[in-house]
Coordinates of all heavy atoms in Angstrom, one line a residue:
M1 N 6.1 15.8 -3.1 CA 5.5 14.6 -2.6 C 4.0 14.7 -3.0 O 3.4 15.8 -3.0 CB 5.6 14.5 -1.1 CG 4.9 13.3 -0.6 SD 5.5 12.6 1.0 CE 7.2 12.3 0.6
K2 N 3.4 13.6 -3.4 CA 2.0 13.6 -3.8 C 1.1 13.9 -2.6 O 1.3 13.5 -1.5 CB 1.7 12.2 -4.4 CG 2.4 11.9 -5.7 CD 2.0 10.6 -6.2 CE 2.8 10.3 -7.4 NZ 2.6 8.9 -8.0
R3 N 0.1 14.6 -2.9 CA -0.8 15.1 -1.9 C -1.7 14.0 -1.2 O -2.2 14.2 -0.1 CB -1.7 16.2 -2.4 CG -1.0 17.4 -2.9 CD -1.9 18.6 -3.2 NE -2.8 18.9 -2.1 CZ -2.5 19.7 -1.1 NH1 -1.4 20.4 -1.0 NH2 -3.4 20.0 -0.1
G4 N -1.8 12.9 -1.8 CA -2.6 11.8 -1.3 C -2.1 11.3 0.1 O -2.9 10.9 0.9
L5 N -0.8 11.5 0.4 CA -0.2 11.1 1.7 C -0.9 11.9 2.8 O -1.0 11.3 3.9 CB 1.3 11.3 1.6 CG 2.1 10.7 2.7 CD1 1.8 9.2 2.8 CD2 3.6 10.9 2.5
E6 N -1.3 13.1 2.6 CA -1.9 13.9 3.6 C -3.3 13.3 4.1 O -3.7 13.5 5.2 CB -2.2 15.3 3.1 CG -0.9 16.1 2.8 CD -1.2 17.4 2.1 OE1 -2.4 17.7 1.7 OE2 -0.3 18.1 1.9
Q7 N -3.9 12.4 3.3 CA -5.2 11.8 3.6 C -5.1 10.8 4.7 O -6.1 10.5 5.3 CB -5.8 11.1 2.4 CG -6.1 12.1 1.3 CD -6.6 11.3 0.0 OE1 -6.2 10.2 -0.2 NE2 -7.5 12.0 -0.7
I8 N -3.9 10.3 5.0 CA -3.8 9.3 6.1 C -3.6 9.9 7.5 O -3.6 9.2 8.5 CB -2.7 8.2 5.7 CG1 -1.3 8.8 5.9 CG2 -3.0 7.6 4.4 CD1 -0.2 7.8 5.8
V9 N -3.3 11.2 7.6 CA -3.1 11.8 8.9 C -4.3 11.7 9.7 O -5.4 12.0 9.3 CB -2.7 13.3 8.7 CG1 -2.6 14.0 10.1 CG2 -1.4 13.4 8.0
G10 N -4.2 11.2 10.9 CA -5.3 11.0 11.9 C -6.0 9.7 11.8 O -6.8 9.4 12.6
K11 N -5.7 8.8 10.8 CA -6.3 7.5 10.6 C -5.6 6.5 11.6 O -4.5 6.7 11.9 CB -6.2 7.0 9.2 CG -7.1 7.8 8.3 CD -7.1 7.2 6.9 CE -8.2 7.9 6.0 NZ -9.5 7.4 6.3
T12 N -6.4 5.5 11.9 CA -5.9 4.4 12.7 C -5.5 3.2 11.9 O -6.4 2.7 11.1 CB -6.9 4.0 13.8 OG1 -7.2 5.1 14.6 CG2 -6.4 2.9 14.7
I13 N -4.2 2.7 11.9 CA -3.8 1.6 11.2 C -4.3 0.3 11.8 O -4.1 0.1 13.0 CB -2.3 1.6 11.0 CG1 -1.8 2.8 10.3 CG2 -1.8 0.3 10.3 CD1 -0.3 3.0 10.3
A14 N -4.9 -0.5 11.0 CA -5.4 -1.8 11.5 C -4.5 -2.9 11.1 O -4.3 -3.9 11.8 CB -6.8 -2.1 10.9
H15 N -3.9 -2.8 9.9 CA -3.0 -3.9 9.4 C -1.9 -3.3 8.5 O -2.1 -2.2 7.9 CB -3.8 -4.9 8.5 CG -4.9 -5.6 9.2 ND1 -4.7 -6.6 10.0 CD2 -6.2 -5.4 9.1 CE1 -5.9 -7.0 10.5 NE2 -6.8 -6.3 9.9
V16 N -0.8 -4.0 8.4 CA 0.3 -3.6 7.5 C 0.6 -4.8 6.7 O 0.7 -5.9 7.2 CB 1.5 -3.2 8.3 CG1 2.7 -2.9 7.4 CG2 1.2 -1.9 9.2
L17 N 0.8 -4.6 5.4 CA 1.1 -5.7 4.5 C 2.2 -5.3 3.5 O 2.2 -4.1 3.0 CB -0.1 -6.1 3.7 CG 0.0 -7.4 2.9 CD1 -1.2 -8.3 3.1 CD2 0.2 -7.1 1.4
V18 N 3.2 -6.1 3.3 CA 4.3 -5.8 2.4 C 4.4 -6.9 1.3 O 4.3 -8.1 1.6 CB 5.7 -5.7 3.1 CG1 6.8 -5.5 2.1 CG2 5.7 -4.6 4.2
K19 N 4.5 -6.5 0.1 CA 4.6 -7.4 -1.1 C 5.9 -7.1 -1.8 O 6.4 -5.9 -1.9 CB 3.5 -7.2 -2.1 CG 2.2 -7.8 -1.6 CD 1.2 -7.6 -2.8 CE -0.1 -8.4 -2.5 NZ -1.0 -8.3 -3.6
E20 N 6.6 -8.1 -2.3 CA 7.8 -8.0 -3.1 C 7.6 -8.8 -4.4 O 6.9 -9.8 -4.4 CB 9.0 -8.4 -2.3 CG 9.3 -7.5 -1.1 CD 10.5 -7.9 -0.4 OE1 11.3 -8.8 -0.8 OE2 10.8 -7.3 0.7
R21 N 8.3 -8.3 -5.4 CA 8.2 -9.0 -6.7 C 9.4 -8.7 -7.5 O 10.2 -7.8 -7.2 CB 6.9 -8.7 -7.5 CG 6.7 -7.2 -7.6 CD 5.4 -6.8 -8.2 NE 5.6 -6.1 -9.4 CZ 4.9 -6.2 -10.5 NH1 3.9 -7.1 -10.6 NH2 5.2 -5.5 -11.6
G22 N 9.6 -9.5 -8.6 CA 10.8 -9.3 -9.4 C 10.7 -8.1 -10.4 O 11.6 -7.6 -10.9
G23 N 9.4 -7.7 -10.7 CA 9.2 -6.6 -11.6 C 9.2 -5.2 -11.0 O 9.7 -5.0 -9.9
T24 N 8.4 -4.3 -11.6 CA 8.2 -3.0 -11.1 C 6.8 -2.8 -10.7 O 5.9 -3.2 -11.5 CB 8.6 -1.9 -12.1 OG1 10.0 -2.1 -12.5 CG2 8.5 -0.5 -11.6
P25 N 6.5 -2.4 -9.5 CA 7.4 -2.0 -8.4 C 8.0 -3.2 -7.8 O 7.4 -4.3 -7.8 CB 6.5 -1.2 -7.5 CG 5.1 -1.8 -7.7 CD 5.1 -2.2 -9.1
Q26 N 9.2 -3.0 -7.2 CA 9.9 -4.1 -6.5 C 9.2 -4.4 -5.2 O 9.2 -5.6 -4.8 CB 11.3 -3.7 -6.3 CG 12.1 -3.6 -7.6 CD 13.4 -3.0 -7.4 OE1 13.7 -2.2 -6.5 NE2 14.3 -3.3 -8.3
S27 N 8.8 -3.4 -4.4 CA 8.2 -3.6 -3.1 C 7.0 -2.6 -3.0 O 7.0 -1.5 -3.5 CB 9.2 -3.2 -2.0 OG 10.3 -4.1 -2.1
Q28 N 6.0 -3.1 -2.2 CA 4.8 -2.3 -2.0 C 4.5 -2.5 -0.5 O 4.5 -3.6 0.1 CB 3.6 -2.8 -2.7 CG 3.8 -2.7 -4.2 CD 2.8 -3.6 -4.9 OE1 3.0 -4.8 -5.0 NE2 1.7 -3.0 -5.4
L29 N 4.2 -1.3 0.2 CA 3.8 -1.3 1.6 C 2.4 -0.8 1.6 O 2.1 0.3 1.0 CB 4.7 -0.3 2.4 CG 4.2 0.0 3.8 CD1 4.3 -1.2 4.7 CD2 5.0 1.2 4.3
F30 N 1.5 -1.6 2.2 CA 0.1 -1.2 2.3 C -0.3 -1.0 3.7 O 0.0 -1.8 4.6 CB -0.8 -2.3 1.7 CG -0.7 -2.6 0.3 CD1 0.3 -3.5 -0.2 CD2 -1.4 -1.9 -0.7 CE1 0.4 -3.8 -1.5 CE2 -1.3 -2.2 -2.0 CZ -0.4 -3.1 -2.5
L31 N -0.8 0.2 4.0 CA -1.3 0.5 5.3 C -2.9 0.4 5.2 O -3.5 1.2 4.4 CB -0.9 1.9 5.7 CG 0.6 2.2 5.7 CD1 0.8 3.7 6.0 CD2 1.3 1.3 6.8
L32 N -3.4 -0.5 6.0 CA -4.9 -0.7 6.0 C -5.5 0.0 7.2 O -4.9 -0.3 8.3 CB -5.2 -2.1 5.9 CG -4.9 -2.8 4.6 CD1 -3.5 -3.4 4.7 CD2 -6.0 -3.8 4.3
F33 N -6.5 0.8 7.1 CA -7.0 1.5 8.2 C -8.4 1.0 8.7 O -9.1 0.2 8.0 CB -7.2 3.0 7.8 CG -5.9 3.6 7.3 CD1 -5.7 3.8 5.9 CD2 -5.0 4.0 8.2 CE1 -4.5 4.3 5.5 CE2 -3.8 4.5 7.8 CZ -3.5 4.7 6.4
T34 N -8.7 1.4 9.9 CA -9.9 0.8 10.5 C -11.2 1.2 9.8 O -12.3 0.6 10.0 CB -10.0 1.3 12.0 OG1 -9.9 2.7 12.0 CG2 -8.9 0.7 12.8
D35 N -11.2 2.3 9.0 CA -12.4 2.7 8.3 C -12.6 2.0 6.9 O -13.4 2.4 6.1 CB -12.4 4.2 8.1 CG -11.3 4.7 7.2 OD1 -10.4 3.9 6.7 OD2 -11.2 5.9 6.9
G36 N -11.8 0.9 6.6 CA -12.0 0.2 5.4 C -11.3 0.8 4.2 O -11.6 0.4 3.0
T37 N -10.3 1.6 4.4 CA -9.5 2.2 3.4 C -8.1 1.7 3.5 O -7.7 1.2 4.6 CB -9.5 3.7 3.4 OG1 -9.0 4.2 4.6 CG2 -10.9 4.3 3.1
Y38 N -7.3 1.8 2.4 CA -5.9 1.5 2.5 C -5.0 2.5 1.7 O -5.6 3.2 0.8 CB -5.6 0.1 2.1 CG -5.8 -0.2 0.6 CD1 -4.7 -0.1 -0.3 CD2 -7.0 -0.7 0.2 CE1 -4.9 -0.4 -1.6 CE2 -7.2 -1.0 -1.2 CZ -6.2 -0.9 -2.1 OH -6.3 -1.1 -3.4
Y39 N -3.8 2.6 2.0 CA -2.9 3.5 1.3 C -1.6 2.7 0.9 O -1.1 1.9 1.7 CB -2.5 4.6 2.2 CG -1.8 5.7 1.4 CD1 -2.5 6.6 0.6 CD2 -0.4 5.8 1.4 CE1 -1.8 7.6 -0.1 CE2 0.3 6.8 0.7 CZ -0.5 7.7 0.0 OH 0.2 8.7 -0.8
E40 N -1.1 2.9 -0.3 CA 0.0 2.1 -0.8 C 1.2 3.1 -1.0 O 1.1 4.2 -1.5 CB -0.3 1.5 -2.2 CG 0.9 0.8 -2.8 CD 0.6 0.4 -4.3 OE1 -0.5 0.6 -4.7 OE2 1.5 -0.1 -4.9
V41 N 2.4 2.6 -0.6 CA 3.7 3.2 -0.8 C 4.5 2.2 -1.5 O 4.5 1.0 -1.1 CB 4.4 3.7 0.5 CG1 5.7 4.3 0.2 CG2 3.5 4.6 1.2
Y42 N 5.2 2.5 -2.6 CA 5.9 1.5 -3.4 C 7.3 2.0 -3.7 O 7.7 3.1 -3.6 CB 5.2 1.2 -4.7 CG 5.0 2.3 -5.7 CD1 6.0 2.5 -6.7 CD2 4.0 3.2 -5.6 CE1 5.9 3.5 -7.6 CE2 3.8 4.2 -6.5 CZ 4.8 4.4 -7.5 OH 4.7 5.4 -8.4
S43 N 8.2 1.0 -4.0 CA 9.6 1.2 -4.2 C 10.0 0.7 -5.6 O 9.7 -0.4 -5.9 CB 10.4 0.6 -3.1 OG 11.8 0.7 -3.4
T44 N 10.8 1.5 -6.3 CA 11.4 1.0 -7.5 C 12.9 1.5 -7.5 O 13.2 2.6 -7.2 CB 10.8 1.7 -8.8 OG1 10.9 3.1 -8.7 CG2 9.3 1.3 -8.9
E45 N 13.8 0.5 -7.6 CA 15.2 0.8 -7.6 C 15.7 1.6 -6.4 O 16.5 2.6 -6.6 CB 15.6 1.4 -8.9 CG 15.3 0.5 -10.1 CD 15.7 1.1 -11.4 OE1 16.4 2.1 -11.5 OE2 15.3 0.6 -12.4
G46 N 15.1 1.4 -5.2 CA 15.6 2.1 -4.1 C 14.8 3.4 -3.8 O 14.9 4.0 -2.7
N47 N 14.1 3.9 -4.7 CA 13.3 5.1 -4.5 C 11.9 4.8 -3.9 O 11.4 3.7 -4.3 CB 13.1 5.9 -5.8 CG 14.4 6.4 -6.4 OD1 15.3 6.9 -5.6 ND2 14.7 6.2 -7.6
I48 N 11.4 5.6 -3.1 CA 10.1 5.3 -2.4 C 9.1 6.4 -2.9 O 9.4 7.5 -2.9 CB 10.2 5.4 -0.9 CG1 11.2 4.3 -0.4 CG2 8.8 5.2 -0.3 CD1 11.5 4.4 1.1
Y49 N 7.9 5.9 -3.3 CA 6.9 6.7 -3.9 C 5.5 6.5 -3.2 O 5.1 5.3 -3.1 CB 6.7 6.5 -5.4 CG 7.9 6.7 -6.2 CD1 8.7 5.6 -6.6 CD2 8.3 7.9 -6.6 CE1 9.9 5.7 -7.3 CE2 9.5 8.1 -7.3 CZ 10.3 7.0 -7.7 OH 11.4 7.2 -8.4
P50 N 4.8 7.5 -2.8 CA 3.5 7.3 -2.3 C 2.5 7.3 -3.5 O 2.8 7.8 -4.6 CB 3.2 8.6 -1.5 CG 4.1 9.6 -2.1 CD 5.3 8.9 -2.6
T51 N 1.3 6.8 -3.4 CA 0.3 6.8 -4.4 C -0.5 8.0 -4.3 O -0.3 8.9 -3.4 CB -0.6 5.5 -4.4 OG1 -1.1 5.5 -3.1 CG2 0.2 4.3 -4.6
H52 N -1.5 8.2 -5.2 CA -2.3 9.4 -5.3 C -3.3 9.6 -4.2 O -3.6 10.7 -3.8 CB -3.0 9.5 -6.6 CG -2.1 9.6 -7.8 ND1 -1.4 10.8 -8.1 CD2 -1.7 8.8 -8.7 CE1 -0.7 10.7 -9.1 NE2 -0.8 9.4 -9.6
G53 N -3.7 8.5 -3.6 CA -4.7 8.7 -2.5 C -5.2 7.4 -1.9 O -4.8 6.3 -2.3
L54 N -6.1 7.5 -1.0 CA -6.7 6.3 -0.3 C -7.6 5.5 -1.3 O -8.2 6.1 -2.2 CB -7.6 6.8 0.8 CG -6.9 7.4 2.0 CD1 -7.9 8.1 2.9 CD2 -6.1 6.3 2.8
E55 N -7.6 4.3 -1.1 CA -8.5 3.3 -1.8 C -9.4 2.6 -0.8 O -9.0 2.4 0.3 CB -7.6 2.3 -2.6 CG -6.7 2.9 -3.6 CD -7.4 3.4 -4.8 OE1 -8.5 2.9 -5.1 OE2 -6.8 4.2 -5.5
Q56 N -10.6 2.2 -1.3 CA -11.5 1.4 -0.5 C -11.0 -0.1 -0.6 O -10.7 -0.5 -1.7 CB -12.9 1.5 -1.0 CG -13.6 2.8 -0.6 CD -13.8 2.9 0.9 OE1 -13.4 3.9 1.4 NE2 -14.3 2.0 1.5
G57 N -10.9 -0.8 0.5 CA -10.6 -2.2 0.4 C -10.2 -2.8 1.7 O -9.9 -2.1 2.6
D58 N -10.2 -4.1 1.7 CA -9.9 -4.8 2.9 C -8.6 -5.7 2.7 O -8.0 -5.6 1.6 CB -11.0 -5.7 3.4 CG -11.5 -6.7 2.4 OD1 -10.7 -7.0 1.4 OD2 -12.6 -7.3 2.6
M59 N -8.2 -6.5 3.7 CA -7.0 -7.2 3.6 C -7.0 -8.2 2.4 O -6.0 -8.3 1.7 CB -6.8 -8.0 4.9 CG -5.5 -8.5 5.1 SD -4.3 -7.2 5.4 CE -3.2 -8.0 6.5
E60 N -8.1 -8.8 2.2 CA -8.2 -9.8 1.0 C -8.0 -9.1 -0.3 O -7.3 -9.6 -1.2 CB -9.5 -10.6 1.1 CG -9.6 -11.7 0.1 CD -8.5 -12.8 0.4 OE1 -8.1 -13.0 1.6 OE2 -7.9 -13.3 -0.6
Q61 N -8.6 -7.9 -0.5 CA -8.4 -7.2 -1.7 C -7.0 -6.7 -1.9 O -6.5 -6.8 -3.0 CB -9.4 -6.0 -1.7 CG -10.8 -6.4 -1.9 CD -11.8 -5.3 -1.6 OE1 -11.7 -4.6 -0.5 NE2 -12.7 -5.0 -2.5
V62 N -6.3 -6.4 -0.8 CA -4.9 -5.9 -0.9 C -4.1 -7.2 -1.3 O -3.2 -7.1 -2.1 CB -4.5 -5.3 0.4 CG1 -3.0 -5.1 0.4 CG2 -5.2 -3.9 0.5
R63 N -4.3 -8.3 -0.7 CA -3.6 -9.5 -1.0 C -3.7 -9.9 -2.5 O -2.8 -10.3 -3.1 CB -4.1 -10.7 -0.2 CG -3.6 -10.7 1.2 CD -4.0 -12.0 1.9 NE -3.9 -11.9 3.3 CZ -4.9 -11.8 4.2 NH1 -6.1 -11.9 3.7 NH2 -4.7 -11.7 5.5
E64 N -4.9 -9.7 -3.1 CA -5.2 -10.0 -4.5 C -4.6 -8.9 -5.4 O -4.5 -9.2 -6.6 CB -6.6 -10.2 -4.7 CG -7.2 -11.4 -4.0 CD -8.7 -11.6 -4.0 OE1 -9.3 -10.7 -4.7 OE2 -9.2 -12.5 -3.4
Y65 N -4.4 -7.7 -5.0 CA -3.9 -6.6 -5.8 C -2.5 -7.0 -6.3 O -1.7 -7.3 -5.6 CB -3.9 -5.3 -5.0 CG -3.4 -4.1 -5.7 CD1 -4.1 -3.5 -6.7 CD2 -2.2 -3.5 -5.3 CE1 -3.7 -2.4 -7.4 CE2 -1.7 -2.4 -6.0 CZ -2.4 -1.9 -7.0 OH -2.0 -0.8 -7.6
M66 N -2.3 -6.8 -7.6 CA -1.1 -7.2 -8.3 C -0.6 -8.6 -7.9 O 0.3 -8.8 -7.1 CB 0.0 -6.1 -8.0 CG -0.3 -4.8 -8.6 SD 1.0 -3.6 -8.5 CE 2.1 -4.1 -9.8
P67 N -1.4 -9.6 -8.4 CA -1.1 -11.0 -7.9 C 0.3 -11.5 -8.2 O 0.6 -12.5 -7.6 CB -2.2 -11.8 -8.6 CG -2.6 -10.9 -9.8 CD -2.4 -9.5 -9.4
S68 N 1.0 -10.9 -9.0 CA 2.4 -11.4 -9.2 C 3.3 -11.1 -8.1 O 4.4 -11.7 -8.0 CB 3.0 -10.8 -10.5 OG 3.1 -9.4 -10.4
G69 N 2.9 -10.3 -7.1 CA 3.7 -10.0 -5.9 C 3.5 -11.0 -4.8 O 2.4 -11.6 -4.7
S70 N 4.5 -11.3 -4.1 CA 4.3 -12.2 -2.9 C 4.3 -11.5 -1.6 O 5.1 -10.6 -1.4 CB 5.3 -13.3 -3.0 OG 6.6 -12.8 -2.8
V71 N 3.4 -11.8 -0.7 CA 3.3 -11.2 0.6 C 4.6 -11.7 1.4 O 4.8 -12.8 1.6 CB 2.0 -11.6 1.3 CG1 2.0 -11.0 2.7 CG2 0.8 -11.1 0.5
T72 N 5.4 -10.7 1.9 CA 6.6 -11.0 2.6 C 6.4 -10.6 4.1 O 7.2 -11.1 4.9 CB 7.8 -10.4 2.1 OG1 7.6 -8.9 2.0 CG2 8.1 -10.9 0.6
F73 N 5.4 -9.8 4.4 CA 5.2 -9.4 5.8 C 3.7 -9.0 5.9 O 3.2 -8.4 5.1 CB 6.1 -8.2 6.1 CG 5.8 -7.7 7.5 CD1 6.4 -8.3 8.6 CD2 5.0 -6.6 7.8 CE1 6.2 -7.8 9.9 CE2 4.7 -6.1 9.0 CZ 5.3 -6.7 10.1
E74 N 3.2 -9.4 7.0 CA 1.8 -9.1 7.3 C 1.6 -9.0 8.8 O 2.0 -9.9 9.6 CB 0.9 -10.2 6.8 CG -0.6 -9.9 6.7 CD -1.4 -10.9 6.0 OE1 -1.0 -11.4 4.9 OE2 -2.4 -11.3 6.6
A75 N 1.0 -7.9 9.3 CA 0.7 -7.7 10.7 C -0.6 -7.0 10.9 O -1.0 -6.2 10.1 CB 1.9 -6.9 11.4

């Protein structure tokens, strides 16, 4: 597993956003944290992959990331 996932331990989740699209990746799960960072986990053909590490960004930046995907869940 990629080491970036360890960076989210102890953080507080402020928002969750899921995007789906017809291409690759098929699904993306974004965990947005109270400190202004987010972490992405994505799925291709049923496999789940974490990304390399935390990114700086807010809800609007995550919505605009990979604009071909459509938001299917937001909380």
Side-chain angles (χ1 to χ4, degrees):
M1 179 156 303
K2 294 181 182 175
R3 296 193 53 92
L5 193 55
E6 295 172 353
Q7 296 174 328
I8 71 171
V9 174
K11 290 189 172 281
T12 302
I13 297 172
H15 301 281
V16 176
L17 188 134
V18 176
K19 286 186 171 184
E20 293 183 6
R21 54 189 237 140
T24 301
Q26 295 169 333
S27 299
Q28 296 164 281
L29 167 69
F30 295 91
L31 302 174
L32 291 93
F33 303 102
T34 56
D35 65 357
T37 60
Y38 69 88
Y39 192 80
E40 175 189 358
V41 178
Y42 63 94
S43 174
T44 61
E45 299 179 14
N47 298 314
I48 299 172
Y49 302 98
T51 56
H52 293 287
L54 289 168
E55 299 287 339
Q56 286 294 128
D58 60 14
M59 195 69 144
E60 192 58 36
Q61 290 167 306
V62 170
R63 282 188 196 106
E64 293 173 3
Y65 177 70
M66 294 186 79
S68 61
S70 62
V71 175
T72 58
F73 177 81
E74 191 173 314

